[in-house]
């Protein structure tokens, strides 16, 4: 690392880490004069950052690199609601949390941390790329968590203890839908078909359950929409349709 002593994120460090794409001449001057609310890319790679903090005013940030640091907790990111790309690889993170409000995230890396289970990503419906290899994930079944992400196309899980399971690749490809790349290897349709056939009975039961849950959610959504319309009509008419 450039600096072995723990580093604190402050305004000076932020300015030195501003990335201005396509800019070469007068870079330092432009960094000095850039308003924080105009910054889109920050790279704190190899800065010995101990804690994620003091990122105030960076409301338009879309890409944040915090890789190769000393970070043990994901925190103080809630206000970065425009973030699409987040790199937390090569840190000391043991638990995924603190990302609930970052709903625009598409690319996330937790590679080489101390994570034991896949969690804390529920609200990231646009997630497209997830790298969580070289962690401490032992239970193969934790992969089921990724099934909810309908836009997920690339997943890296290589280097986790669960990958030693002889059924690892077939389990992932049968249970996580629409993957194009797994552990940086292209996923062939024939491989997915073979994996699904291997888990055929389990997949039939799982898909039937999911279909039932989707129908329940659809009915509840329609019910809530109907109640909202009735309430709006009630207010507009100045009466109470629910009182006989």
């Amino acid at each position: 690392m450039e600096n072995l002593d723990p580093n604190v994120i402050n305004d000076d460090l932020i300015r030195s880490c501003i990335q201005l794409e396509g800019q070469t001449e007068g870079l330092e001057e432009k960094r000095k004069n850039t308003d924080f609310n105009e910054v889109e890319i920050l790279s704190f790679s190899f800065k010995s950052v101990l804690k994620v903090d003091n990122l105030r005013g960076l409301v338009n940030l879309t890409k944040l690199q915090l890789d190769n640091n000393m970070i043990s907790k994901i925190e103080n990111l809630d206000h970065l609601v425009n973030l699409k790309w987040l790199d937390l690889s090569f840190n000391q993170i043991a638990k995924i949390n603190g990302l609930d409000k970052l709903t625009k995230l598409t690319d996330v890396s937790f590679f080489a941390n101390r994570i034991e289970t896949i969690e804390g990503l529920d609200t990231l419906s646009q997630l497209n790329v997830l790298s969580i290899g070289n962690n401490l994930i032992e239970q193969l079944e934790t992969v089921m968590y990724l099934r909810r992400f309908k836009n997920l196309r690339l997943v890296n899980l290589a280097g986790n203890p669960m990958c030693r399971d002889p059924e690892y690749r077939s389990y992932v490809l049968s249970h996580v839908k629409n993957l194009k790349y797994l552990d940086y290897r292209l996923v062939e349709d024939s491989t997915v078909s073979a994996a699904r056939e291997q888990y055929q009975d389990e997949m039939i039961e799982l898909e039937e359950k999911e279909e039932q849950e989707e129908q329940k959610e659809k009915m509840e959504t329609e019910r809530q929409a109907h109640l909202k319309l009735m309430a709006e009509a009630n207010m507009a008419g100045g009466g109470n349709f629910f009182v006989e």
Side-chain angles (χ1 to χ4, degrees):
M1 288 189 176
E2 293 179 5
N3 179 9
L4 295 178
D5 295 325
N7 217 344
V8 176
I9 296 177
N10 56 28
D11 286 2
D12 289 340
L13 182 60
I14 290 173
R15 290 205 176 277
S16 71
C17 294
I18 293 173
Q19 305 296 299
L20 299 170
E21 292 186 336
Q23 301 285 340
T24 52
E25 296 183 3
L27 183 58
E28 292 307 316
E29 188 66 22
K30 289 174 182 176
R31 282 174 170 165
K32 186 191 299 184
N33 295 319
T34 299
D35 290 336
F36 279 3
N37 62 9
E38 296 176 351
V39 176
E40 295 184 3
I41 304 173
L42 276 178
S43 176
F44 294 102
S45 304
F46 295 98
K47 296 298 183 183
S48 297
V49 173
L50 186 64
K51 180 179 180 180
V52 182
D53 204 0
N54 301 322
L55 297 176
R56 297 178 298 273
L58 296 156
V59 292
N60 289 309
L61 202 64
T62 61
K63 183 174 181 179
L64 178 58
Q65 291 178 238
L66 289 161
D67 57 284
N68 292 279
N69 285 294
M70 304 176 179
I71 299 165
S72 59
K73 183 179 181 182
I74 306 171
E75 57 186 340
N76 300 316
L77 296 176
D78 282 355
H79 63 293
L80 303 179
V81 294
N82 289 305
L83 210 59
K84 296 181 179 179
W85 199 97
L86 177 62
D87 187 354
L88 284 161
S89 59
F90 296 97
N91 278 288
Q92 300 171 20
I93 297 165
K95 183 178 179 63
I96 303 173
N97 56 13
L99 302 177
D100 292 351
K101 295 183 179 179
L102 308 186
T103 57
K104 293 184 180 180
L105 279 174
T106 61
D107 292 47
V108 182
S109 178
F110 300 109
F111 187 83
N113 277 277
R114 299 176 178 176
I115 295 165
E116 296 182 0
T117 189
I118 308 173
E119 60 184 349
L121 304 171
D122 297 38
T123 62
L124 310 188
S125 60
Q126 298 183 44
L127 192 62
N128 184 255
V129 175
L130 176 64
S131 179
I132 196 169
N134 276 22
N135 275 278
L136 305 175
I137 303 171
E138 295 186 0
Q139 299 300 320
L140 188 54
E141 292 75 16
T142 193
V143 170
M144 270 292 294
Y145 178 82
L146 299 178
R147 189 173 173 85
R148 72 192 67 196
F149 301 105
K150 301 186 185 306
N151 295 309
L152 194 59
R153 297 294 179 269
L154 186 154
V155 173
N156 174 34
L157 298 161
N160 282 288
M162 68 176 177
C163 298
R164 294 193 290 265
D165 190 313
E167 304 297 330
Y168 160 70
R169 192 169 177 84
S170 58
Y171 185 90
V172 175
L173 293 179
S174 61
H175 288 75
V176 184
K177 297 182 284 188
N178 303 317
L179 286 184
K180 297 298 183 184
Y181 292 89
L182 174 60
D183 301 338
Y184 304 115
R185 290 170 54 190
L186 181 67
V187 173
E188 302 287 349
D189 290 343
S190 57
T191 308
V192 175
S193 297
R196 286 180 59 83
E197 186 173 344
Q198 181 177 343
Y199 289 92
Q200 184 176 13
D201 293 343
E202 182 178 336
M203 296 312 300
I204 290 173
E205 183 178 347
L206 178 60
E207 288 169 358
E208 286 178 351
K209 182 179 178 181
E210 287 176 340
E211 186 175 350
Q212 291 172 3
E213 290 175 351
E214 287 176 7
Q215 287 297 322
K216 287 181 181 178
E217 289 176 6
K218 182 180 178 181
M219 290 175 65
E220 178 60 20
T221 300
E222 291 174 351
R223 188 180 76 85
Q224 292 295 336
H226 176 70
L227 289 175
K228 182 179 178 182
L229 284 173
M230 293 292 289
E232 290 173 352
N234 188 30
M235 290 177 64
N240 189 339
F241 294 164
F242 300 102
V243 176
E244 294 182 359

